[in-house]
Amino acid sequence: MAIYRLLKNSTLGPEEIGHITAAYEQTLHTLCVKDRDDPLTEMVAKKIIKIAQTGIHDAAQLSARAIKELGVR
């Protein structure tokens, strides 16, 4: 999955990675994306990582903000 590939060499800790991956899964579920090869998955992953870098770590907030910023819902 896109999120794991992007986080593979990350310096983030396990807790932060847990929040990011939970937000990623939640976002894909909300958007009804089942095909993990869909290009949207990479866009979602990059957006969530970018938002997490601003200091937001709550998975629900990360997901909601990613959906809003991507304008896909």
Side-chain angles (χ1 to χ4, degrees), residues 2 24 28 32-44:
Y24 174 76
L28 294 183
C32 299
V33 177
K34 295 182 195 267
D35 179 6
R36 297 306 169 114
D37 292 324
D38 187 318
L40 181 59
T41 61
E42 182 139 354
M43 289 174 34
V44 167

Side-chain angles (χ1 to χ4, degrees), residues 6 9 20 28 31 33 35 37 42 48 56 61-62:
L6 293 172
N9 296 319
I20 290 170
L28 294 183
L31 298 175
V33 177
D35 179 6
D37 292 324
E42 182 139 354
I48 288 173
I56 298 172
Q61 288 180 332
L62 286 168

Side-chain angles (χ1 to χ4, degrees), residues 20 44-55 62 69:
I20 290 170
V44 167
K46 287 179 179 179
K47 181 59 72 175
I48 288 173
I49 292 169
K50 183 177 177 183
I51 295 167
Q53 290 171 340
T54 69
L62 286 168
E69 288 188 19

